[in-house]
Amino acid sequence: MDKKVWKEQVIAAVDAMAPELIDMSLFLHKNPELSGQEYQAAQRLISAAEKRGFLAKKNISGYETAFIARKGTTGPKIAFLAEYDALPVLGHACGHNLIAAMSWGAAAAFAAVAKDRAVSYLIGCPAEETSGAKVSMAADGIFDDLRAALIIHPGDSNNMGGTSYATHPLKVTFHGRPAHVASKTNKGVNALDALIMFYQGIKPLRQTFTQETILAGIITKGGTAPNIVTDEAEGKFTIRALSSHYLEETVIPAVRRLADGIALATNTKVEAVHYEPLFKELINDPELMKFFQENMTLLGEKITLLEPNDADGSTDVGNVSHAAPTIHPDIFIGSSLSAHTPEFAAATGSPYAQERLLIGAKAMAMTAIDLLDL
């Protein structure tokens, strides 16, 4: 039996699951749960997997809502990554309801067709919007033995390739000495002045780097009253680069030196701590990209290939891609959409998006078939 027949079988398997997959997506959309609190979503996915003979293990890498569901014992290990956390206020404005349904559909269809020729994994990955469970999972070796890790993100186009920014945010806190602003004997030490100098300094600092970087931030604590010299001022800063190595070895040390220099000049003390883990840059595997493009074409879909350094946002899938061959393409669910907006949230619950998730599940399952030695 050639791969064409096997691919026809996974297409049929996804079509047979269509009501279940759409119901899964819409349930998550109507019941959004924040990062680390995705109890209903995780349990619904686990229950669905167990009903189809998957063996599930819960509480992975310190996350109660992370899980690994597996079916099969021998052959290449192929994982489909499910995300299911929502955003505050906006709900599923990043389309994780669709991601979860697509990955579950692909994992189930692939397992049903491949049987004992491969191991199909559905890996539940919570908290993508915050701490990124995949970071801890990658550090724990969860993805090390995989032949491939597949995930699709909804968007306003079919595209594949490019990368993501490596990111390692910093919280910078300056400590001074309080005083009344009108005191003649105690002028205090203004921590807010130091923080503002730092805020202003990161813009010209960015011009000194030889690789593309992003430095931006907000002041999260600026004082308690205008007539009191601020003794503690705090800001949160996103620090990103196209390479995690360049980020960690060049950019962040320079940012820390800037903070230290300003503290010395203003007679303040400074603390700079990472308040979120390192998200590494995404590496899309060329072989998987080739297979995925061919399968999208078979499904009647056109897909745009992005340039290798075309970066858009940051994702903990990047950490997975440093441990296993990975692809993270986008699938079209509507025109002129921008993630993390009310419009995107509405689109991810639309009837059209539910049709599109079936295409995504089929393309991933077909790509998995290409990895079998038939």
Side-chain angles (χ1 to χ4, degrees):
M1 189 180 299
D2 63 24
K3 289 183 178 179
K4 178 181 178 182
V5 175
W6 288 66
K7 290 181 180 182
E8 290 172 350
Q9 290 182 358
V10 295
I11 290 171
V14 171
D15 283 334
M17 292 181 66
E20 175 186 344
L21 300 180
I22 293 170
D23 181 66
M24 175 76 73
S25 170
L26 293 178
F27 175 84
L28 299 186
H29 192 270
K30 294 173 183 176
N31 298 276
E33 296 170 294
L34 300 180
S35 296
Q37 302 173 32
E38 317 95 326
Y39 296 104
Q40 289 187 88
Q43 188 54 53
R44 196 171 180 95
L45 286 162
I46 291 169
S47 296
E50 289 178 335
K51 287 179 181 177
R52 290 185 179 266
F54 281 70
L55 299 176
K57 182 180 179 181
K58 307 174 185 179
N59 300 323
I60 306 298
S61 298
Y63 286 86
E64 290 183 341
T65 52
F67 66 87
I68 300 173
R70 170 181 58 82
K71 189 172 184 180
T73 56
T74 60
K77 299 175 179 178
I78 300 172
F80 306 90
L81 309 182
E83 298 172 353
Y84 32 85
D85 59 322
L87 292 158
V89 181
L90 293 173
H92 277 290
C94 206
H96 292 184
N97 59 307
L98 298 170
I99 292 175
M102 283 189 284
S103 289
W104 163 232
F110 178 63
V113 174
K115 294 184 169 54
D116 59 354
R117 295 174 178 83
V119 185
S120 179
Y121 286 90
L122 177 69
I123 301 183
C125 308
E128 192 276 337
E129 298 292 353
T130 55
S131 58
K134 299 183 201 70
V135 175
S136 299
M137 296 167 83
D140 289 343
I142 299 298
F143 310 106
D144 286 356
D145 296 328
L146 296 179
R147 174 63 180 84
L150 310 175
I151 183 173
I152 299 177
H153 201 290
D156 62 357
S157 64
N158 286 341
N159 65 60
M160 180 175 57
T163 184
S164 64
Y165 289 102
T167 178
H168 207 177
L170 275 176
K171 180 175 73 174
V172 179
T173 307
F174 286 91
H175 299 277
R177 188 176 68 250
H180 194 284
V181 294
S183 173
K184 295 181 179 180
T185 58
N186 181 9
K187 299 301 182 184
V189 177
N190 197 318
L192 181 58
D193 286 347
L195 180 61
I196 289 174
M197 289 175 64
F198 177 78
Y199 180 88
Q200 294 173 328
I202 62 172
K203 293 185 179 180
L205 177 65
R206 181 184 176 188
Q207 306 307 315
T208 68
F209 299 124
T210 59
Q211 295 185 19
E212 183 180 352
T213 61
I214 295 174
L215 301 178
I218 59 171
I219 294 175
T220 52
K221 185 177 181 180
T224 57
N227 63 344
I228 299 175
V229 174
T230 301
D231 66 329
E232 183 176 278
E234 173 190 286
K236 287 186 174 180
F237 297 85
T238 181
I239 304 174
R240 308 186 190 207
L242 288 176
S243 158
S244 52
H245 177 77
Y246 190 73
L247 179 70
E248 297 292 283
E249 300 298 322
T250 300
V251 180
I252 289 176
V255 171
R256 289 183 179 276
R257 286 194 298 271
L258 173 65
D260 290 340
I262 290 172
L264 182 64
T266 57
N267 196 30
T268 57
K269 295 181 180 180
V270 66
E271 296 175 283
V273 298
H274 293 291
Y275 63 92
E276 288 181 358
L278 170 64
F279 282 26
K280 296 181 180 180
E281 73 279 11
L282 176 65
I283 303 171
N284 280 293
D285 181 78
E287 181 187 40
L288 294 178
M289 287 174 58
K290 173 179 175 291
F291 290 146
F292 187 83
Q293 182 180 22
E294 291 172 351
N295 291 316
M296 286 289 279
T297 300
L298 289 174
L299 292 168
E301 298 283 328
K302 294 182 179 180
I303 189 164
T304 300
L305 296 180
L306 304 177
E307 293 297 322
N309 283 341
D310 189 334
D312 182 14
S314 301
T315 174
D316 58 356
V317 178
N319 296 61
V320 179
S321 73
H322 285 251
T326 301
I327 52 170
H328 192 4
D330 285 355
I331 190 166
F332 176 83
I333 65 164
S335 300
S336 303
L337 292 174
S338 180
H340 293 211
T341 63
E343 293 77 15
F344 200 93
T348 63
S350 69
Y352 182 67
Q354 312 318 306
E355 296 176 12
R356 300 297 294 166
L357 77 82
L358 302 178
I359 297 293
K362 292 172 183 177
M364 282 193 288
M366 293 164 71
T367 300
I369 292 293
D370 282 314
L371 301 175
L372 295 180
D373 185 15
L374 301 179

